[in-house]
Amino acid sequence: MSVYRFVGALVAGACMLGGSVAWIYLARRKAPEARERERRLMVGREGRLADGMVIDVRGSAIVYTYTIHGVGYMASQDISDFQEALSTSLELVGGPVMLKYARKDPANSIVLCEEWSGLSSRNV
């Protein structure tokens, strides 16, 4: 067997192995909706409570502000998955809310998730 055939076989094997690894990685990637749900649930379970203020409603997103350790944050959350559970129209959601934020990243926050709600009882 010549050296060229041997090197060619090694290159072909490496390409097949690399392609298999890439296919497995891409097939196991989660959909963006699944990653967002996991983020909400993590913040809902492990997050710290804070006071916030809903300042706007844009479509199915709530825009809110809050302050953590003297730093002001403005965030929004798409709550289209939860509109069926709200007892009132989204346009009436406003004013003070409770929120949860990630301890290591205060900019990572939620007002509502599958297991917790910071909206007042009149809205949920």
Side-chain angles (χ1 to χ4, degrees), residues 17 30-31 69 78 80 113:
L17 180 63
K30 295 180 182 173
H69 302 296
D78 179 12
S80 57
C113 76

Side-chain angles (χ1 to χ4, degrees), residues 42-60:
M42 183 276 301
V43 174
R45 288 184 193 123
E46 301 172 10
R48 292 188 175 181
L49 287 171
D51 293 321
M53 182 69 67
V54 174
I55 58 171
D56 196 7
V57 176
R58 297 179 185 161
S60 61

Side-chain angles (χ1 to χ4, degrees), residues 11-65:
V11 169
C15 288
M16 288 175 53
L17 180 63
S20 298
V21 169
W23 181 78
I24 290 170
Y25 172 75
L26 292 174
R28 295 186 74 194
R29 269 183 34 192
K30 295 180 182 173
E33 296 83 13
R35 288 196 315 265
E36 171 62 15
R37 183 175 188 275
E38 287 179 3
R39 181 194 75 84
R40 282 193 313 257
L41 289 171
M42 183 276 301
V43 174
R45 288 184 193 123
E46 301 172 10
R48 292 188 175 181
L49 287 171
D51 293 321
M53 182 69 67
V54 174
I55 58 171
D56 196 7
V57 176
R58 297 179 185 161
S60 61
I62 295 177
V63 180
Y64 56 97
T65 61

Side-chain angles (χ1 to χ4, degrees), residues 81-121:
D81 293 340
F82 308 106
Q83 285 185 343
E84 295 173 1
L86 296 176
S87 64
T88 185
S89 173
L90 195 56
E91 290 77 28
L92 300 176
V93 174
V97 293
M98 293 296 294
L99 61 98
K100 286 191 176 186
Y101 66 93
R103 296 174 186 195
K104 293 183 180 179
D105 182 12
N108 184 3
S109 63
I110 61 168
V111 173
L112 188 64
C113 76
E114 289 79 358
E115 300 172 347
W116 179 83
S117 174
L119 298 174
S120 68
S121 60

